[in-house]
Amino acid sequence: MLAGVLGLTMDYQLTVSALLRRAETLHAAGEVVSRQPDGSIARTTYGAVAVRARKLAVALQHLGIARGDRVATFGWNHGEHLEAYFGVPAFGGVLHTLNVRLHADELAYIATHAGDRAVIVDAALLPALEAFRKRAPFEHVIVVGGEAPAGTIAYEELLAAADDTAFVEPELDEREAAACCYTSGTTGAPKGVLYSHRCLVLHTLSVATVDSLAIAEREVVLPVVPMFHANAWGLPYAAAMAGAKLVLPAARLDPASLLELLASERVTISAGVPTVYLALLQALDAAPGVHDLGALHTLVIGGSAAPPALIEGFQRRHGIAVLHAWGMTELSPIGTIGRVPAALAGASEAERFRYRARQGRPVPFVELRARGDDGLIPWDGSAYGELEVRGPTVSSAYTSGDGADNFTVDGWFSTGDIVTIDPDGTIEIQDRAKDLIKSGGEWISSVALENALMGHPAVAEAAVVAVADERWGERPLAVVVLRNGVTATADELRAHLEAGFARWWLPDEVVFADAIPKTATGKFKKTALRDLYRRP
Ligand code: ADP
């Protein structure tokens, strides 16, 4: 029973299709630019994307995919992926963006757990798909670009046969699922995060606002962050809503290709993890003036802490502002943005740089608090606590129902990040409670590596910790205690790991020790190990 008086406003459903309708009716000529596998550039418009998204919806329905079914993508950032971003949710399907960098075993698990009935895959990624395809539930493999081998469907043929005018938009409830992503677990299997239409629309609105990422029609947006990472931070939807030109780099993420694209398309805002921009800054410093980046005013950097040298380097030497952002897959993903508050307008440059190195204040509708040993911490900039958040863009549970301890009884989500909070709500990430290593924006599970190492006959105990790395942010280091009377070399142990993990997961360094420090409850004391093996 409603205690108050019902408002007289429309029960308009906040759906991804509403974003597309807006893009199509108001920004039909808005440009979408994609790098092609051969390096050339393909140009299309939001108007054309809308038509093709509807064709995709019709075609998928013809294949028997129904409302609520999962459709996976396995691809880089390009126009066809954007069509799937809109076309799959349009008929009530759930877009599941598979991370192409994961190991085949993990992909098999995730695709099976999600129950992906079809997959839309880049032709260039077919060999990677083949490594887990038989262990995944895909009934249809739809190939974008290149040849479609026997047993697969060519994306272009599928669309050519579909009539977009036959598309009947179902009356979706905004609370229905539109997209899904898996996030690495500290222990155990990856966990499924399921975004509702309403969540994606509210996230789009909140990140587009002026004090957030300020996505306006006049901007040219290049998400380097892959479209398989948490909705590419919401940028494709925000650009479409605003009618901003969208530039998609596909797999060409090396500094030379990115610089060329940033300059030639007159990009104004780009976004991605620190590793990408560290390489870009080096390339820019090495050859100043070669590329005209005069249009580029903002780099949104997040996923891992943006080092102060990166923020200052871009600003001082190239006049490009870095907006530091913090987020999580469970937050759709943007949580906070380090836009310098008006109160610091008159502050010294050094103070403003110190501010930008923090993770910033929450975007609209994200509420935060942090919990220390004695309850919620004061917002005094010095007390430490685990960050908890709530809001309409924050997960309320994982699809498998596990990870329940990440949700508090009073309805907040525990992030596993240890923060201080300033009186104005600015957070600074101080540490991470979760046992994960973030290398170049991608997770490595220390627990999975430890378990595998301890499966080697020569190993008595193994602990894996993150060590700071200039290029990748963090890299894994393994501390190994060998069994009495047996030997093994670092190379032998790495070879042992190679069978089960992607190459970039393998610890760069394996240190042999006599013992591993333990906590009172017998767990590895990771904090002590991190201090012990801290690299300069
Ligand atoms: P995403 O796909 O956005 O990287 P994940 O869920 O994979 O999201 O990772 C989220 C985690 O990454 C956070 O809980 C935090 O530990 C780390 N992280 C994200 N952004 C930052 C940042 N700006 N500074 C420090 N750590 C960050």
Side-chain angles (χ1 to χ4, degrees), residues 183 229-230 233 301-306 324-330 333 359 415 417 429 432 434 438 441 443:
T183 180
H229 265 191
W233 300 356
I301 303 189
S304 295
H324 196 180
W326 168 87
M328 293 180 75
T329 301
E330 291 90 331
Q359 282 73 12
T415 63
D417 286 323
I429 308 264
R432 195 184 288 142
K434 45 201 169 196
K438 205 158 201 191
W443 289 119

Side-chain angles (χ1 to χ4, degrees), residues 22 100 168 219 223 260 299 301 344 351 380 427 458 472 483:
R22 179 181 166 85
V100 309
V168 182
E219 304 296 349
E260 194 268 317
L299 298 177
I301 303 189
L344 288 184
E351 202 175 331
D380 61 4
I427 63 162
W472 300 106
R483 289 183 194 281

Side-chain angles (χ1 to χ4, degrees), residues 399-527:
T399 55
S400 51
D402 57 4
D405 5 329
N406 292 5
F407 303 92
T408 70
V409 282
D410 62 342
W412 293 65
F413 169 69
S414 307
T415 63
D417 286 323
I418 308 298
V419 298
T420 52
I421 310 179
D422 287 352
D424 72 353
T426 299
I427 63 162
E428 184 167 9
I429 308 264
Q430 306 290 347
D431 200 358
R432 195 184 288 142
K434 45 201 169 196
D435 220 345
L436 289 163
I437 297 156
K438 205 158 201 191
S439 171
E442 302 281 356
W443 289 119
I444 295 173
S445 163
S446 45
V447 177
L449 287 173
E450 285 161 5
N451 290 342
L453 280 169
M454 289 190 276
H456 187 279
V459 175
E461 277 184 336
V464 175
V465 289
V467 289
D469 182 272
E470 207 172 298
R471 177 160 180 215
W472 300 106
E474 293 175 356
R475 289 293 303 153
L477 173 143
V479 187
V480 171
V481 180
L482 292 174
R483 289 183 194 281
N484 277 336
V486 277
T487 56
T489 64
D491 282 342
E492 279 164 19
L493 294 180
R494 263 198 298 268
H496 168 74
L497 291 177
E498 231 172 330
F501 301 100
R503 279 197 70 89
W504 57 270
W505 272 51
L506 306 190
D508 297 332
E509 220 179 319
V510 179
V511 183
F512 294 96
D514 294 332
I516 291 175
K518 308 244 174 44
T519 65
T521 54
K523 291 189 198 165
F524 295 144
K525 209 170 186 174
K526 293 283 177 85
T527 45

